[in-house]
Amino acid sequence: MEMTDEKNKKEWTTVPILPCVSIVETLSFWEMLGFEITYKQTRPYQYGVVARGGSELHFGRVRGMEAVNYEYSGCLVMVPDAGKVYQEFRARFKEKLGKVPHSGIPRISRMKPGTTRFTLTDVSGNSIIFVDGRETDKDQETWEKADNKDQSPLQKSIAMAIRFRDYKEDEQAAAKTLDVALRKAENEDKTDIAEAWILQLDLATFMDEPDLAQECRTRLKELGLTAEQLKSLFQKYDVEG
């Protein structure tokens, strides 16, 4: 006689419900990103579901909720290739909104080389983190690089700036870290100095600081590296020259 393990038998199903300001607006937003609306209810209460890739996101309206002040809820979505999903979402934002929003609501965080996840904040302020299921340890390696003592001071500062930029979304702290390090970088390797200026250029462009961006370009030219060397470094950090 076959015995059933009652303790491990699955009878209950957990379905987290994310809050939203408007179910119509929320479902339309996720539909724009390629999700399918599988359920929509506006009366007697607002509730909806979107699905893609075998995963579902459930939403329920919260009366009196303001998206600008509500950025506490969210969840993880494991995907086969986070980079591919990120590029698709960027393209959809650009097509529908005319830009890729990295601030405000909605927004999408920047996904830079060496990272395996990005955060999408929807129209209600929910933060959905899309994670590459193939390389779950890669982000930890990038994060921990800033703690590696077998680096020069500038190399350590570059790793710390990347930590601030990519994992804490604190571009100001990243730029300040590089600024302090570059002032003391006279005896550092030229390639490392170039990498620091390229990262600083990326930050200056993102923060809309044209004077700093121009200084970065000038400093890079003064280093005397070849065009091929600079091209390789710009590609390494996915920064436009």
Side-chain angles (χ1 to χ4, degrees):
M1 181 177 179
E2 185 177 341
M3 301 296 292
T4 302
D5 188 346
E6 293 294 335
K7 184 177 181 181
N8 295 321
K9 184 179 179 181
K10 184 176 180 181
E11 295 180 337
W12 296 7
T13 300
T14 302
V15 181
I17 302 174
L18 298 171
C20 70
V21 176
S22 162
I23 198 64
V24 174
E25 183 182 7
T26 298
L27 296 182
S28 295
F29 172 80
W30 286 100
E31 187 176 39
M32 177 193 78
L33 293 174
F35 284 70
E36 178 187 1
I37 299 174
T38 59
Y39 185 81
K40 179 180 178 181
Q41 176 179 306
T42 57
R43 295 179 181 178
Y45 55 85
Q46 295 188 19
Y47 191 89
V49 182
V50 295
R52 181 170 176 179
S55 292
E56 292 185 339
L57 294 174
H58 290 239
F59 298 94
R61 177 181 177 245
V62 175
R63 188 183 300 275
M65 175 181 172
E66 295 181 7
V68 69
N69 296 320
Y70 201 97
E71 297 185 41
Y72 304 104
S73 298
C75 66
L76 288 175
V77 177
M78 304 291 288
V79 296
D81 188 337
K84 184 177 180 180
V85 175
Y86 178 73
Q87 292 303 328
E88 180 194 334
F89 284 179
R90 277 178 52 90
R92 288 178 178 272
F93 269 121
K94 200 162 187 178
E95 178 186 355
K96 300 297 183 180
L97 304 182
K99 63 177 182 178
V100 181
H102 291 304
S103 60
I105 295 176
R107 66 178 180 273
I108 185 171
S109 66
R110 297 194 298 162
M111 186 176 182
K112 304 299 287 186
T115 62
T116 61
R117 65 189 63 201
F118 66 91
T119 301
L120 180 71
T121 302
D122 73 5
V123 289
S124 291
N126 294 301
S127 294
I128 314 301
I129 304 174
F130 290 83
V131 183
D132 195 319
R134 304 169 305 168
E135 302 181 278
T136 54
D137 295 330
K138 192 172 181 181
D139 281 301
Q140 189 66 29
E141 293 174 7
T142 304
W143 172 277
E144 292 177 352
K145 188 174 181 180
D147 300 322
N148 184 355
K149 297 180 180 180
D150 297 326
Q151 303 180 94
S152 72
L154 182 58
Q155 289 172 337
K156 185 175 178 63
S157 294
I158 289 172
M160 183 61 72
I162 290 174
R163 177 187 287 184
F164 278 125
R165 183 194 67 179
D166 296 343
Y167 299 102
K168 296 189 175 183
E169 296 184 42
D170 191 341
E171 283 78 10
Q172 292 287 349
K176 184 176 181 180
T177 297
L178 291 173
D179 180 58
V180 172
L182 283 165
R183 293 177 187 276
K184 306 174 182 178
E186 293 183 4
N187 298 320
E188 296 277 358
D189 182 86
K190 282 188 177 182
T191 300
D192 292 334
I193 295 175
E195 290 190 20
W197 281 117
I198 288 172
L199 282 170
Q200 192 73 301
L201 173 60
D202 176 62
L203 292 163
T205 302
F206 178 78
M207 296 186 295
D208 194 22
E209 296 187 12
D211 291 341
L212 176 57
Q214 184 55 50
E215 180 187 1
C216 293
R217 295 189 181 94
T218 299
R219 297 284 189 173
L220 284 166
K221 290 180 180 179
E222 294 174 349
L223 289 173
L225 297 180
T226 67
E228 284 301 315
Q229 286 175 311
L230 287 175
K231 181 180 178 180
S232 178
L233 292 175
F234 275 110
Q235 290 176 341
K236 176 181 177 181
Y237 288 100
D238 190 25
V239 177
E240 295 185 9

